[in-house]
């Protein structure tokens, strides 16, 4: 069973192995990547500036009918990660990489509710943190421009 620190952002019923603690240095790189690459990023803040466990990236607009949205991001020292989209319309989706009993290690939880049972293989094959973040923001941007969630997990080895 994983300890409390390794459960940051990953629902307890989905994590079946150790992922270790969050990696603040990597999450700072990811924050910079989002701010530098996406003009609709309004804010990118940590839950705790001294001991960050989660990065929240707020956007000025959401996908489709959503006026606002947020990506909550945790990158773990083991290379596990979570990029969780939530918006003001109640839509959720997630790109994750962590051990679990019901999906591939790299997986995508589909909208509208990102349930554990909707997890399918992720289209993101890269593993370098900045490239994973770039892939997520590009997939978000494409969905934003088209105004719907179709194709969020349909790309050939993004970014």
């Amino acid at each position: 069973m994983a300890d409390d620190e390794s459960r940051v952002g990953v629902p307890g019923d989905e994590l079946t192995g150790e992922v270790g603690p969050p990696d603040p240095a990597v999450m700072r790189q990811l924050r910079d990547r989002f701010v530098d690459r996406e003009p609709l990023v309004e804010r990118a803040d940590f839950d705790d500036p001294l001991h960050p466990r989660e990065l929240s990236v707020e956007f000025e607009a959401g996908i489709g009918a959503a006026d606002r949205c947020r990506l909550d991001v945790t990158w773990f020292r083991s290379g596990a990660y979570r990029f969780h989209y939530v918006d003001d319309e109640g839509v959720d989706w997630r790109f994750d990489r962590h051990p679990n009993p019901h999906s591939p290690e790299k997986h995508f939880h589909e909208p509208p509710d990102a349930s554990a049972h909707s997890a399918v293989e992720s289209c993101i094959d890269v593993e370098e943190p900045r490239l994973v973040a770039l892939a997520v923001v590009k997939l978000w941007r494409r969905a934003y421009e088209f105004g719907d969630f179709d194709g969020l997990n349909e790309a050939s080895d993004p970014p």
Side-chain angles (χ1 to χ4, degrees):
M1 182 65 86
D3 63 22
D4 286 342
E5 177 138 312
S6 67
R7 288 191 182 279
V8 175
V10 179
D13 62 342
E14 291 187 34
L15 189 62
T16 60
E18 295 295 325
V19 294
D23 190 329
V26 168
M27 289 193 297
R28 286 183 188 96
Q29 291 175 355
L30 299 182
R31 176 197 57 201
D32 295 346
R33 176 63 45 124
F34 279 109
V35 170
D36 292 345
R37 296 286 182 144
E38 179 49 59
L40 290 177
V41 168
E42 188 172 65
R43 296 175 47 162
D45 297 318
F46 293 104
D47 59 333
D48 181 333
L50 296 177
H51 304 287
R53 295 165 38 109
E54 181 176 75
L55 168 66
S56 289
V57 181
E58 296 181 21
F59 295 81
E60 294 177 13
I63 297 170
D67 292 324
R68 304 189 59 72
C69 70
R70 183 181 80 238
L71 274 173
D72 295 325
V73 179
T74 303
W75 194 281
F76 299 91
R77 290 186 182 155
S78 64
Y81 58 77
R82 172 195 61 111
F83 290 79
H84 183 193
Y85 171 96
V86 295
D87 68 26
D88 59 2
E89 292 289 312
V91 176
D92 289 72
W93 50 264
R94 254 183 8 252
F95 283 100
D96 287 345
R97 179 182 185 194
H98 61 80
N100 69 64
H102 55 271
S103 60
E105 181 182 27
K106 295 178 191 173
H107 52 276
F108 176 69
H109 294 269
E110 299 174 312
D113 60 3
S115 75
H117 302 293
S118 74
V120 297
E121 187 170 353
S122 175
C123 69
I124 300 173
D125 290 328
V126 294
E127 295 186 5
E128 200 278 320
R130 289 176 289 184
L131 293 177
V132 174
L134 183 57
V136 172
V137 79
K138 282 186 168 189
L139 293 164
W140 174 88
R141 170 53 85 165
R142 184 175 67 180
Y144 168 75
E145 288 177 357
F146 283 113
D148 64 45
F149 298 96
D150 294 340
L152 266 171
N153 190 39
E154 295 176 9
S156 179
D157 195 19

